[in-house]
Amino acid sequence: MAYSDLSDFLSHAEKNGQLLKISDTVNPEPDLGAAARAVANLTDRGPALLFTNINGYEHGSVAINLIGSWPNHALMLGMDKDTPVKEQFFEFARRWDDFPVAVERREDAPWREHTMDGGINLFDLFPFFRLNRYDVGCYIDKGAVVSRDPDDPDNFDKQNVGIYRIQVKDVDRLGIQPLPTHDIGLHLRAAEERGENLPVAITIGNEPVITTVGGMPLTYEQSEYEMAGAIQGSPYQIATAPLTGFDVPWGSQAVLEGEIIAGVREIEGPFGEFTGHYSGGRRQPVIQIRKVSYRTNPIFEHLYLGMPWTEMDYTLALNTSVPLYQQLKKDFPDVVAVNAMYTQGLLAIISVKQRYGGFAKAVGLRAMTTPHGLGYCTVVIVVDDTVDPFNLAQVMWALSVKFHPHYDIVTVPNASVLPLDPSSDPPGIIHKVVLDATTPIAPETRGHYSQQVDQPMGTKEWEEKLKGLLK
């Protein structure tokens, strides 16, 4: 199903028992970050949290943990909240095949209610707060950032919608971390080579499909809006931002427009990142906000991230796994499934139908050269098609009895990885490894694997029967 906006999704989550509204007065710090960490610690079936009484804000509302559990992720896809992860993966992959779905343009966007053109003070609009104790300041970490290719600005497919961490530096100035491998990094380089600022639109408080797609490693000319239409099963609704003219989500809570200032870099960070470590301070570009459009009493949506698992991991789990699966399957139809849910795909598990000895190792190496794998996929584990890559007990079994340390390790020295990886040295460079945990086949014949225990007859039928009885 398609959600028109953030409130629509929250309402659906509430109907399914997956939204917890908290009306008691809470302090922005440390309460909001602590609550988000707490719900992730307690369960993998946790609800979204909506805080409606923030100390110091007359109308402040904060939504956290929207997709911070597998039930909420299933609701994002319009599926039953009890849908198993593996079924969500294959449904996500099936919808990917419907790409592209043309957008629906509308001009009655609800965020057009109010505007700020001068005297902008973002602190009057949103209840900003630090997530983790040693964050250098407040961040916007779930805004969908829109930018265009300066060399081809009218090309809809090259317009990027991405999720980037954004540090609030002043009332109308922000810092952003656009990695060179990201589309916005390419746009910024092109603009700076021309000596120009890069216009951007930052959309805050969106329904979860566009934020999920905004974090997907799509190719440069794949439209996030057309992919969002495929994932939700209907045309995605967009509107025109008044200052930049960019296409932005119709249902956003607020739209911030401005430009990344060419040639300007300031220290950004430290920030508690998805790796479970603070990222340190680095010189990063700066955004000057020129115009703000917003609803009455907008909801500020935030994303907690830190030591896994958090909402960050649920949000990026399948939107990382499915693109890797689709890209690998083009070259190797024998790929059965990909689980790249761990630390945004720094570790990936791939199940394949073996063709011949050494085939699994080739698939693992190919994963490292996909658009996402270039900056991630530090450890790739390859297992047989009979092993469910989403069942860690089965994966550990394959590593225990089929992986031979002498024969089954392939190391790639000095490969690229995102600089945020705390194990990279220097930042951005690391050795990568493929662990082949598949059953050896000719010409690579070794070990004693001829008598693997299979499932009793009728196991699948009993799985379906017990699903119904256990509900």
Side-chain angles (χ1 to χ4, degrees):
M1 66 180 295
Y3 299 102
S4 59
D5 60 12
L6 174 60
S7 296
D8 188 18
F9 177 78
L10 291 172
S11 175
H12 189 69
E14 185 174 24
K15 289 176 184 176
N16 283 269
Q18 288 297 128
L19 173 67
L20 180 60
K21 291 182 175 179
I22 300 171
S23 58
D24 293 343
T25 302
V26 297
N27 293 317
E29 296 180 23
D31 289 341
L32 295 174
R37 176 74 263 182
V39 72
N41 289 347
L42 291 173
T43 175
D44 64 355
R45 298 183 60 82
L49 305 178
L50 179 62
F51 296 88
T52 57
N53 192 351
I54 314 295
N55 191 18
Y57 287 85
E58 186 177 354
H59 299 295
S61 295
V62 174
I64 304 178
N65 208 52
L66 248 70
I67 319 176
S69 66
W70 289 122
N72 280 29
H73 191 279
L75 294 177
M76 182 270 294
L77 292 173
M79 304 177 75
D80 184 274
K81 69 176 183 179
D82 295 319
T83 305
V85 179
K86 190 175 181 180
E87 288 184 28
Q88 293 189 47
F89 168 84
F90 282 111
E91 178 60 18
F92 203 121
R94 184 195 67 76
R95 296 184 193 182
W96 172 292
D97 290 334
D98 293 334
F99 172 85
V101 173
V103 298
E104 177 187 348
R105 296 182 181 274
R106 299 181 59 175
E107 293 305 323
D108 57 340
W111 45 260
R112 289 183 177 273
E113 281 186 276
H114 308 282
T115 59
M116 293 182 191
D117 291 293
I120 294 172
N121 187 340
L122 298 177
F123 288 86
D124 288 340
L125 190 60
F126 298 116
F128 292 129
F129 59 96
R130 291 176 298 174
L131 283 172
N132 289 301
R133 187 182 311 177
Y134 301 117
D135 288 350
V136 72
C138 304
Y139 276 77
I140 300 168
D141 64 3
K142 210 178 182 184
V145 183
V146 184
S147 61
R148 287 185 177 174
D149 185 336
D151 296 327
D152 196 4
D154 296 326
N155 189 324
F156 180 79
D157 293 336
K158 290 183 180 179
Q159 179 177 243
N160 179 59
V161 184
I163 308 297
Y164 309 99
R165 77 186 208 194
I166 299 170
Q167 182 184 332
V168 182
K169 287 178 167 285
D170 205 337
V171 294
D172 61 354
R173 290 175 71 254
L174 309 169
I176 186 170
Q177 181 178 254
L179 298 180
T181 55
H182 291 158
D183 289 357
I184 195 174
L186 300 176
H187 293 173
L188 179 59
R189 184 180 70 181
E192 290 188 322
E193 286 175 350
R194 299 155 67 108
E196 298 173 356
N197 296 339
L198 180 71
V200 293
I202 303 167
T203 68
I204 298 175
N206 297 295
E207 53 71 39
V209 170
I210 195 59
T211 50
T212 298
V213 173
M216 289 173 72
L218 302 180
T219 61
Y220 187 65
E221 295 192 18
Q222 285 183 317
S223 165
E224 284 81 10
Y225 293 131
E226 291 177 340
M227 181 60 78
I231 300 304
Q232 70 178 16
S234 63
Y236 194 79
Q237 296 181 343
I238 61 175
T240 303
L243 180 64
T244 58
F246 288 177
D247 300 313
V248 296
W250 174 86
S252 300
Q253 297 288 306
V255 177
L256 284 54
E257 296 178 87
E259 51 192 0
I260 301 179
I261 308 302
V264 175
R265 300 292 188 273
E266 294 179 359
I267 294 295
E268 183 268 353
F271 180 59
E273 269 288 356
F274 70 94
T275 61
H277 293 79
Y278 287 90
S279 57
R282 295 182 175 88
R283 295 179 65 82
Q284 300 289 0
V286 173
I287 302 172
Q288 181 64 52
I289 300 301
R290 309 289 189 192
K291 188 180 186 70
V292 178
S293 307
Y294 60 100
R295 301 184 187 212
T296 301
N297 302 331
I299 300 171
F300 181 45
E301 188 196 358
H302 220 318
L303 174 78
Y304 181 80
L305 61 167
M307 182 177 174
W309 272 54
T310 70
E311 184 186 357
M312 177 82 166
D313 300 281
Y314 292 101
T315 301
L316 295 177
L318 298 189
N319 73 352
T320 299
S321 301
V322 169
L324 274 171
Y325 167 74
Q326 296 287 6
Q327 290 154 10
L328 286 172
K329 206 166 180 65
K330 284 183 179 179
D331 295 332
F332 301 111
D334 316 81
V335 171
V336 175
V338 175
N339 177 356
M341 302 192 304
Y342 302 102
T343 320
Q344 206 169 323
L346 284 172
L347 184 148
I349 306 164
I350 304 169
S351 65
V352 300
K353 294 179 180 178
Q354 276 271 54
R355 284 196 214 166
Y356 43 77
F359 178 73
K361 296 177 178 66
V363 173
L365 289 169
R366 177 68 181 91
M368 295 177 180
T369 62
T370 60
H372 187 73
L374 285 170
Y376 296 83
C377 290
T378 298
V379 178
V380 179
I381 302 170
V382 189
V383 296
D384 291 317
D385 61 305
T386 54
V387 173
D388 179 356
F390 297 97
N391 185 326
L392 288 188
Q394 292 186 16
V395 174
M396 292 300 103
W397 167 76
L399 280 171
S400 300
V401 302
K402 301 195 177 190
F403 170 73
H404 193 299
H406 180 71
Y407 299 106
D408 292 328
I409 293 180
V410 180
T411 303
V412 180
N414 300 317
S416 62
V417 73
L418 81 164
L420 290 178
D421 183 346
S423 65
S424 63
D425 186 23
I429 295 294
I430 198 168
H431 287 21
K432 294 188 174 184
V433 65
V434 176
L435 305 180
D436 183 356
T438 59
T439 306
I441 63 171
E444 191 180 14
T445 52
R446 55 182 170 75
H448 312 284
Y449 299 107
S450 61
Q451 292 182 308
Q452 184 170 318
V453 178
D454 61 359
Q455 297 183 129
M457 291 179 61
T459 297
K460 291 293 183 185
E461 290 79 3
W462 269 101
E463 284 181 5
E464 295 304 315
K465 186 181 295 188
L466 290 173
K467 276 183 190 177
L469 293 173
L470 291 171
K471 280 189 176 179

